[in-house]
Amino acid sequence: MTPKPHILVAGGGIGGLAAALALLQRGHDVDVYEQAPELKEAGAGVQISPNGNRALHALGVFEAMQRLSCNTAGKEVRLWNTGKTWKLFDLGTEAVERYGFPYVTVYRPDLLQVLADAVRALKQDAIHLGCRATGCSQAAGGVTLHFEDGRSAHGDGLIGADGVHSGIRHALFGGDRPRFFGMIAWRGVIPIERVPPQISRDKATNWIGVGGHVVHYPLRAGRLMNFVGIMERGDWQVESWTTQGTAEECAKDFTGWHRDIQEMIAASPTLFKWALMGRDPLKQWSEGRITLLGDACHSTLPLLAQGAVMALEDAVILGRCFEKYGDVATAFARYEQARIDVTTRKVVGANDNAVRFHNPALATEAGATAYVDREWSREAIIQRYEWIFTYNVDTAPI
Ligand SMILES: Cc1cc2nc3c(=O)[nH]c(=O)nc-3n(C[C@H](O)[C@H](O)[C@H](O)COP(=O)(O)OP(=O)(O)OC[C@H]3O[C@@H](n4cnc5c(N)ncnc54)[C@H](O)[C@@H]3O)c2cc1C
């Protein structure tokens, strides 16, 4: 019997580890090369919608993640200055009934750890740390991944899961031209005992205002509160998980916003800042024995909460394509075909939310009420999210 292809993965983030898991589960040999000296996710939250949980289920880690996730008790929208609150119709609370899986919030390091444990349970030494990929090449017989320290690895196929600044994407298709969206995202994770008492501990709250919005939701069975504040601002253009700002700078960005927001900013032990850049969706992800996955091929504004979910879905579909087609180039081509339209639609949907969340109609309470009634009505929410939550990685055509 011909041995199954040996696959190399550049990047050990959520997408790279999920892809490795999907392939190891199907009996492939996989090696993951991660530049960082240790597996470490940004200490931040991530929302996993029902379709993402279906992907985690397909990867065999849904139960393990459930133990570390948080189910929020509904969603509310609040107005930036007065704090007026609208209880929303929430697809999340009826998610299990409607889609078979819940809508949860997760601490990113927990998700990465669960994926890494599952990978290592199938191949103990699959993850190689401190290996920064610098280039790749392919020939009829296979692929080679080159590293900064002069070493290289050989395999039958290569997945570039090396994130938004992907070097593999650059090697395949040349440099990209990210478009600055003129927005900064502030991130903080607050121990729950430091969260001001008047702020809901079990709901996901979305503050909306002219030129900015804030989202906060509980993590880790309610022990932490995730804070993300997005503000239109033209002077910061670095996409980074690790650049810190100060509470003063963040508070300045939210001048005039409700006291609850100011108190959350003051309670955040550390605040990180990330510039929101947009990239036009790629028209092609694969070339022969090399493909891309996750942010490397469809980075998105974080305004639909689907970036990590898309990477998880990519991984499952890729695994199914290997199972069905066997041959590396065919599996990559079919995977791309199955995923490119659905991910493009989500990237566009996230861009649309930038306009929706920061709308000028939110300047006054009267304007905001009419606007929220329209944009967050049951019908509008179903129209925006139903097609996303009903996507089924187990049965999507490949
Ligand atoms: C503020 C914010 C909030 C978000 N909220 C959500 C949310 O609620 N829900 C959601 O689904 N998504 C969310 N996202 C998006 C999500 O974080 C990303 O889509 C997701 O992390 C993509 O995973 P990835 O594995 O493709 O890339 P990454 O997580 O970036 O992983 C890439 C990995 O590759 C490694 N790497 C890079 N270069 C090299 C190299 N040369 N050699 C070897 N290794 C390399 C990196 O070190 C990293 O470990 C959010 C994003 C932001 C910025």
Side-chain angles (χ1 to χ4, degrees):
M1 210 172 73
T2 334
K4 289 187 173 177
H6 171 214
I7 304 299
L8 313 181
V9 180
I14 292 166
L17 293 184
L21 185 54
L23 294 174
L24 285 165
Q25 283 169 337
R26 290 170 171 85
H28 291 272
D29 189 16
V30 183
D31 284 285
V32 180
Y33 298 92
E34 164 57 43
Q35 65 180 358
E38 56 177 322
L39 272 189
K40 205 166 152 238
E41 253 296 348
V46 64
Q47 305 178 56
I48 304 289
S49 52
N51 50 312
N53 279 309
R54 189 181 285 280
L56 288 174
H57 183 262
L59 292 166
V61 293
F62 171 69
E63 275 76 24
M65 261 336 289
Q66 266 298 91
R67 288 193 283 278
L68 298 161
S69 311
C70 221
N71 287 289
T72 52
K75 273 209 171 88
E76 59 186 21
V77 165
R78 298 191 70 188
L79 192 60
W80 65 287
N81 53 352
T82 64
K84 180 178 163 74
T85 304
W86 293 269
K87 302 261 174 276
L88 285 192
F89 161 67
D90 180 17
L91 281 169
T93 50
E94 57 182 70
V96 178
E97 213 174 286
R98 243 178 132 93
Y99 313 109
F101 286 91
Y103 194 113
V104 300
T105 59
V106 162
Y107 191 50
R108 299 175 70 109
D110 291 343
L111 177 55
L112 201 73
Q113 192 60 52
V114 163
L115 290 170
D117 289 348
V119 165
R120 287 182 172 134
L122 294 173
K123 182 179 174 189
Q124 184 53 43
D125 59 350
I127 304 171
H128 308 267
L129 299 172
C131 295
R132 182 173 159 68
T134 49
C136 59
S137 55
Q138 60 178 315
V143 293
T144 305
L145 184 61
H146 304 279
F147 302 108
E148 196 170 49
D149 62 5
R151 288 179 303 146
S152 55
H154 305 281
D156 299 304
L158 168 65
I159 300 166
D162 48 347
V164 69
H165 303 293
S166 173
I168 306 296
R169 178 184 66 219
H170 190 271
L172 289 187
F173 304 117
D176 63 347
R177 280 188 295 278
R179 217 165 351 106
F180 177 48
F181 263 81
M183 287 182 233
I184 181 172
W186 287 96
R187 294 184 295 104
V189 175
I190 311 170
I192 208 73
E193 59 279 4
R194 289 180 64 166
V195 172
Q198 75 277 14
I199 289 170
S200 162
R201 274 144 166 74
D202 61 356
K203 291 200 181 57
T205 304
N206 193 350
W207 293 78
I208 50 178
V210 182
H213 76 280
V214 170
V215 178
H216 54 80
Y217 51 79
L219 297 172
R220 273 203 161 162
R223 293 201 296 279
L224 301 172
M225 181 70 84
N226 194 55
F227 170 90
V228 179
I230 296 186
M231 183 49 73
E232 290 175 10
R233 192 180 129 178
D235 63 337
W236 174 257
Q237 300 199 17
V238 182
E239 276 173 299
S240 151
W241 280 112
T242 51
T243 306
Q244 289 188 24
T246 63
E248 292 70 33
E249 185 188 353
C250 182
K252 193 164 156 238
D253 280 350
F254 288 92
T255 301
W257 283 56
H258 194 267
R259 184 176 61 98
D260 286 1
I261 300 295
Q262 306 301 338
E263 290 185 16
M264 294 276 275
I265 293 169
S268 298
T270 313
L271 284 155
F272 295 92
K273 51 185 191 175
W274 168 298
L276 295 188
M277 312 292 276
R279 289 170 178 77
D280 290 331
L282 292 181
K283 301 229 167 357
Q284 186 186 349
W285 298 354
S286 315
E287 216 170 68
R289 293 171 176 272
I290 306 178
T291 197
L292 303 172
L293 183 143
D295 274 9
C297 49
H298 45 65
S299 76
T300 175
L301 293 184
L303 300 181
L304 201 61
Q306 285 292 308
V309 167
M310 284 193 275
L312 294 169
E313 289 178 339
D314 288 350
V316 178
I317 297 290
L318 187 63
R320 284 181 56 209
C321 287
F322 266 92
E323 192 171 322
K324 184 162 174 185
Y325 300 106
D327 160 70
V328 174
T330 311
F332 283 168
R334 292 299 184 125
Y335 144 77
E336 174 183 322
Q337 206 174 53
R339 291 293 296 158
I340 201 160
D341 287 348
V342 73
T343 52
T344 297
R345 193 172 163 196
K346 289 191 196 182
V347 172
V348 171
N351 293 351
D352 292 347
N353 269 350
V355 181
R356 181 170 293 114
F357 291 173
H358 300 185
N359 202 280
L362 302 167
T364 63
E365 215 169 89
T369 301
Y371 187 74
V372 170
D373 285 349
R374 191 179 75 235
E375 292 296 323
W376 278 272
S377 68
R378 183 185 175 92
E379 296 69 38
I381 288 178
I382 287 180
Q383 202 198 352
R384 285 207 293 277
Y385 293 98
E386 187 87 345
W387 71 273
I388 295 176
F389 295 172
T390 49
Y391 180 84
N392 187 329
V393 275
D394 298 320
T395 56
I398 56 172

